[in-house]
Amino acid sequence: MASSACCCSPAAVQRRLPILAWLPNYSLQWLKMDFIAGLSVGLTAIPQALAYAEVAGLPPQYGLYSAFVGCFVYFFLGTSRDVTLGPTAIMSLLVSFYTFHEPAYAVLLAFLSGCIQLAMGVLHLGFLLDFISCPVIKGFTSAATVTIGFGQIKNLLGLQNIPRQFFLQVYHTFLRIAETRVGDAVLGLVCMLLLLVLKLMRDHMPPVHPEMPLGVRLSHGLVWSATTARNALVVSFAALVAYSFEVTGYQPFILTGETAEGLPPVRTPPFSVTTANGTISFTEMVQDMGAGLAVVPLMGLLESVAVAKAFASQNNYRIDANQELLAIGLTNVLGSFVSSYPVTGSFGRTAVNSQSGVCTPAGGLVTGVLVLLSLDYLTSLFYYIPKSALAAIIIMAVAPLFDTKIFRTLWRVKRLDLLPLCVTFLLCFWEVQYGILAGALVSLLMLLHSAARPETKVSEGPVLVLQPASGLSFPAMEALREEILSRALEVSPPRCLVLECTHVCSIDYTVVLGLGELLQDFQKQGVALVFVGLQVPVLRVLLSADLKGFQYFSTLEEAEKHLRQEPGAQPCNIREDAVLDHKVALLEA
């Protein structure tokens, strides 16, 4: 009964439905700011969705199908006011790897990824993401940036029939560089230049102050709007140029072409596919997607939670990571019913949302409605958008994801961390799952090595003092034993030793056995092994083990004073009742 009451308490309901926390306090000022932010994000999301569908190897309408469900789901379940869910460059790249450019596979992958993400959120398994280290993430995103960016060179130059595999793509692009279409290349470079200029204007705009004249503030707002919606402006400009040539009867550009009109039908995800060679069953589809069923949901969660945490830290509020898992999982599940492919949190659109002054997740409603309106009324106009313009948008969107400083930073801070970064970066060009898996494995091996071979600090004074610099667990016991034997018992004459355990917060049975054997070895040599700085949980375990010859002191000074009183190689005995009284008093405390 108590558990049921706790689950249904107002606080618990508010935690599962974060909208209840901010909706009662919603104001007209918030409505104005959310509307402006939602409009700005929508004008960015529509051209990006069309472009990312190309990265995913899907028809352009699938990008728009994936761009609106997250807006509505996050309105109810999101804990960050800034995050916008939708198609991203990296997620689109992963989809292209695992769905063979088949919409049915992409939609089923969204459904299954959403189910996995929901399960992780319900079971509070978000901690699994902590095992993917920052160098692995940086290596993956940098490799993805190169793959995505170079993959758009063919569209930028108007080259056709270029393979999608990265190394083949590089080879064939350079092999056929002479086939470059001048019109596409010129338009693509002009679009990239326009996007760069507008971005620089946006980044270097001076802040507006209330005391400024009205005309200055209006012009500031106009420039801010134009630079924020630069993707929509550039696509509109390119489409207008292409349409002008179409009217004259000459078309120098490769166009997007026909886009399915209207809203997507609501239907269950395809659990089988009928092809010319027969029907592919659900089991066969799952087997075909293989590692994608692990890589796509995990990377989706990683990207979304990382974006949410970054902007929560920047804007001084907190998010619930497990609630974010539920939000993105439900988005993918529901999205699969309207032909969406897997989505995640978008860093670029979230930045636009934050910079536009969004106050609540309600800004996403405006973005979602804008995408739906474009699907219902503007799809016929998408025909005239040149592919080179969309390629320019993608290249400019992914370029900031390549962190050029990370290599120099790791070289300066910790060079060993360059190993998982480089392993991930290089292998991701071969297969994404191998790159991430190998990088995570290298990071895990480095972690295990540090646990198995902890550093020890040794003080060579009148009394030998050895201090493990970190925790003590069963893989480290053999290394600690070798260190102690080489410094204390394998020298002539044997020496007493103080084991300073301030940094040891827990031990296991293997460590207890190892320490018991060490105590026996020291007794056989006629010298003492004593312990200092034991934390209460460690002391409790050692007392329970009833180790013969176990001696403990509260301070290093007491231990050294006691050991110096002993004559040469004679056993270092301590009055047992005094030690026992001290242990009992400490445990009671």
Side-chain angles (χ1 to χ4, degrees):
M1 290 293 291
S3 175
S4 176
C6 180
C7 292
C8 297
S9 66
V13 173
Q14 192 176 97
R15 192 164 57 250
R16 289 294 173 227
L17 282 174
I19 185 177
L20 300 178
W22 55 263
L23 190 60
N25 302 317
Y26 204 73
S27 65
L28 284 175
Q29 177 64 22
W30 285 7
L31 177 62
K32 185 183 88 169
M33 298 304 295
D34 286 344
F35 181 81
I36 294 172
L39 196 62
S40 302
V41 174
L43 292 174
T44 303
I46 293 170
Q48 279 192 347
L50 295 170
Y52 291 152
E54 161 67 24
V55 176
L58 301 173
Q61 66 269 19
Y62 282 88
L64 294 172
Y65 294 166
S66 308
F68 65 87
V69 174
C71 301
F72 299 113
V73 171
Y74 206 79
F75 171 73
F76 293 99
L77 300 181
T79 59
S80 168
R81 66 170 180 259
D82 299 300
V83 167
T84 61
L85 300 181
T88 66
I90 290 177
M91 190 56 59
S92 299
L93 178 69
L94 293 176
V95 169
S96 75
F97 285 152
Y98 297 112
T99 61
F100 322 106
H101 313 146
E102 286 288 340
Y105 277 87
V107 175
L108 180 61
L109 182 58
F111 176 77
L112 296 177
S113 296
C115 291
I116 293 169
Q117 290 162 339
L118 277 176
M120 290 182 68
V122 170
L123 298 175
H124 296 270
L125 297 179
F127 72 91
L128 293 176
L129 302 178
D130 297 336
F131 287 94
I132 302 179
S133 65
C134 182
V136 174
I137 298 170
K138 291 292 186 181
F140 164 69
T141 53
S142 298
T145 299
V146 174
T147 303
I148 294 167
F150 196 89
Q152 293 306 308
I153 296 296
K154 63 181 186 294
N155 290 329
L156 196 72
L157 301 180
L159 302 177
Q160 295 180 301
N161 302 318
I162 300 292
R164 283 184 170 266
Q165 204 282 332
F166 179 74
F167 295 110
L168 291 176
Q169 195 174 82
V170 173
Y171 173 74
H172 283 277
T173 298
F174 284 107
L175 182 67
R176 300 169 55 185
I177 197 75
E179 301 175 19
T180 299
R181 295 168 57 101
V182 176
D184 286 300
V186 171
L187 181 65
L189 292 174
V190 168
C191 288
M192 287 182 65
L193 183 61
L194 285 174
L195 288 168
L196 179 61
V197 170
L198 290 171
K199 183 180 186 302
L200 292 175
M201 288 175 62
R202 175 71 178 82
D203 294 341
H204 293 89
M205 286 184 64
V208 64
H209 301 290
E211 60 271 13
M212 288 181 173
L214 179 60
V216 174
R217 281 182 287 160
L218 286 175
S219 60
H220 183 282
L222 185 63
V223 173
W224 179 87
S225 302
T227 53
T228 300
R230 57 185 176 274
N231 289 333
L233 280 180
V234 168
V235 164
S236 301
F237 159 75
L240 189 60
V241 171
Y243 180 73
S244 301
F245 277 100
E246 187 81 11
V247 170
T248 65
Y250 170 69
Q251 187 55 264
F253 313 121
I254 297 176
L255 304 181
T256 298
E258 294 290 343
T259 302
E261 296 186 15
L263 301 176
V266 179
R267 58 191 176 196
T268 57
F271 295 104
S272 63
V273 178
T274 302
T275 65
N277 298 324
T279 300
I280 303 175
S281 67
F282 172 73
T283 305
E284 291 172 320
M285 293 178 73
V286 170
Q287 290 174 346
D288 290 340
M289 288 186 283
L293 293 174
V295 174
V296 170
L298 283 177
M299 293 311 298
L301 293 177
L302 194 65
E303 190 174 358
S304 188
V305 172
V307 169
K309 285 184 176 180
F311 282 89
S313 173
Q314 177 180 309
N315 296 325
N316 299 314
Y317 61 88
R318 297 183 63 82
I319 65 158
D320 183 342
N322 281 302
Q323 182 65 22
E324 292 294 306
L325 303 190
L326 294 175
I328 189 173
L330 189 60
T331 295
N332 280 321
V333 169
L334 295 180
S336 67
F337 286 85
V338 288
S339 303
S340 165
Y341 67 81
V343 301
T344 185
S346 165
F347 189 89
R349 294 193 296 276
T350 298
V352 170
N353 208 23
S354 177
Q355 292 164 3
S356 301
V358 71
C359 296
T360 70
L365 294 181
V366 181
T367 302
V369 169
L370 205 59
V371 174
L372 289 173
L373 289 175
S374 71
L375 273 169
D376 213 15
Y377 297 107
L378 300 179
T379 45
S380 59
L381 301 178
F382 296 155
Y383 177 93
Y384 298 102
I385 299 176
K387 285 192 173 183
S388 58
L390 295 179
I393 288 176
I394 293 171
I395 292 171
M396 296 304 295
V398 300
L401 296 178
F402 191 92
D403 191 350
T404 55
K405 297 178 181 178
I406 188 64
F407 296 92
R408 186 168 64 253
T409 301
L410 290 182
W411 181 265
R412 187 177 65 251
V413 175
K414 188 176 182 182
R415 295 177 184 178
L416 191 59
D417 280 341
L418 283 169
L419 182 59
L421 184 143
C422 292
V423 167
T424 306
F425 180 77
L426 295 174
L427 287 182
C428 276
F429 291 117
W430 176 31
E431 288 285 351
V432 172
Q433 67 268 27
Y434 296 150
I436 297 172
L437 184 62
L441 186 60
V442 170
S443 295
L444 188 59
L445 288 175
M446 290 166 55
L447 180 65
L448 292 175
H449 182 269
S450 64
R453 298 293 181 267
E455 294 183 5
T456 53
K457 181 181 177 182
V458 180
S459 301
E460 293 275 1
V463 176
L464 183 64
V465 180
L466 191 145
Q467 180 185 43
S470 59
L472 194 58
S473 54
F474 67 91
M477 190 59 229
E478 189 60 30
L480 180 67
R481 176 183 175 82
E482 293 295 330
E483 179 86 5
I484 291 175
L485 290 179
S486 65
R487 292 183 178 275
L489 300 185
E490 294 177 358
V491 297
S492 182
R495 303 178 64 185
C496 294
L497 182 137
V498 177
L499 191 59
E500 217 286 347
C501 300
T502 304
H503 300 302
V504 179
C505 58
S506 66
I507 58 174
D508 51 50
Y509 182 63
T510 303
V511 174
V512 172
L513 286 181
L515 293 176
E517 293 173 0
L518 281 172
L519 286 170
Q520 293 177 13
D521 292 339
F522 271 79
Q523 287 178 343
K524 289 176 184 177
Q525 296 284 346
V527 289
L529 168 65
V530 300
F531 297 80
V532 168
L534 291 173
Q535 298 185 28
V536 173
V538 178
L539 180 57
R540 184 180 291 114
V541 171
L542 292 174
L543 289 175
S544 301
D546 197 21
L547 299 178
K548 185 178 180 182
F550 172 69
Q551 300 180 26
Y552 165 76
F553 294 90
S554 57
T555 65
L556 182 61
E557 290 75 14
E558 290 180 11
E560 291 179 338
K561 180 179 178 182
H562 171 77
L563 293 176
R564 283 197 298 268
Q565 291 173 353
E566 299 299 324
Q570 295 301 313
C572 301
N573 294 320
I574 187 168
R575 196 163 59 85
E576 295 294 336
D577 56 345
V579 175
L580 182 60
D581 291 343
H582 179 73
K583 293 175 182 174
V584 171
L586 182 59
L587 287 173
E588 288 178 350

